[in-house]
Amino acid sequence: MKKLLLLFCLLYSYNPATYSQPSKGYNTIALDSGSFANIAASFNNAGIVGLGESTHWSKEMTVFKIEFIKYLMVNTDYKALVLEDNFYECSQINNYVQTGEGDIDALYRQLMGVWQSPVFLDLLKWMREHNAQQRSAERKVSFYGADMQRGSAVQQLISYTSKHSNGIPFLYLDKLTDRG
């Protein structure tokens, strides 16, 4: 059973003025896979893990979370990354992660600005490379969006739902289409 890994918009990832510099007044703590294993063990039975932060524009927290996400995806049953971003744009990126189709540099620029950093783009490329090396579908990772802020998002959700609902009727779907 795949588990969900939620990455909230609180991972603000790029401020050109401060991103390349360590936070002032703090020491950097190096974490290795043993440290990640200890952290992961504390919530091993959880179906969903949410990651956020208390401050924005922190390079250290961004790098830590990206490396922790990779650790979880490789070493545990957490295989789905759910981002606080638009469903449709993320589904296009998931298609890249699954198949390698598409220009990831262009696709990633469709995400909200808070996700547009070199380390986040590297994570998306890593997810694709990871999947390309997996023989078992159970070991592959996925990328999803859990937001609908753009005008076309409702139409895209209706289209996606219609294709993947296996005939299950969705209540109030007609109400969504009336909103245009």
Side-chain angles (χ1 to χ4, degrees):
M1 176 179 167
K2 289 186 179 183
K3 296 181 179 181
L4 292 178
L5 181 61
L6 297 177
L7 188 60
F8 296 100
C9 190
L10 297 174
L11 180 126
Y12 283 73
S13 50
Y14 186 65
N15 178 344
T18 62
Y19 191 78
S20 62
Q21 301 297 319
S23 299
K24 294 179 181 164
Y26 296 97
N27 294 323
T28 303
I29 299 171
L31 294 172
D32 58 19
S33 61
S35 301
F36 287 151
N38 289 335
I39 296 169
S42 69
F43 56 78
N44 193 34
N45 293 325
I48 298 173
V49 173
L51 300 175
E53 64 192 25
S54 61
T55 185
H56 306 320
W57 309 112
S58 168
K59 179 180 181 180
E60 295 85 359
M61 281 303 297
T62 301
V63 171
F64 167 81
K65 285 188 269 190
I66 297 292
E67 292 305 313
F68 190 50
I69 289 166
K70 290 178 185 178
Y71 173 85
L72 290 173
M73 288 182 158
V74 170
N75 297 291
T76 72
D77 289 333
Y78 293 98
K79 303 296 181 205
L81 175 59
V82 180
L83 193 69
E84 185 179 354
D85 206 315
N86 288 308
F87 171 83
Y88 178 69
E89 286 80 0
C90 291
S91 69
Q92 292 178 312
I93 291 174
N94 188 52
N95 184 58
Y96 165 81
V97 167
Q98 300 305 316
T99 67
E101 296 173 8
D103 177 359
I104 190 57
D105 294 305
L107 292 170
Y108 132 97
R109 284 192 296 275
Q110 295 177 19
L111 295 174
M112 292 180 204
V114 297
W115 303 115
Q116 295 185 19
S117 73
V119 293
F120 194 76
L121 178 59
D122 288 346
L123 172 64
L124 298 174
K125 291 177 180 179
W126 175 88
M127 290 174 74
R128 172 63 205 139
E129 291 169 14
H130 171 82
N131 280 354
Q133 296 172 4
Q134 302 308 309
R135 293 185 182 184
S136 166
E138 289 294 315
R139 301 300 310 158
K140 291 188 177 189
V141 298
S142 302
F143 183 81
Y144 301 102
D147 209 339
M148 296 180 55
Q149 293 186 21
R150 296 192 183 115
S152 65
V154 171
Q155 292 302 323
Q156 297 300 333
L157 177 63
I158 291 168
S159 174
Y160 181 88
T161 303
S162 298
K163 290 178 189 173
H164 297 89
S165 66
N166 295 325
I168 299 169
F170 283 85
L171 300 176
Y172 306 109
L173 197 57
D174 60 328
K175 303 288 185 210
L176 291 174
T177 57
D178 290 342
R179 299 179 111 177

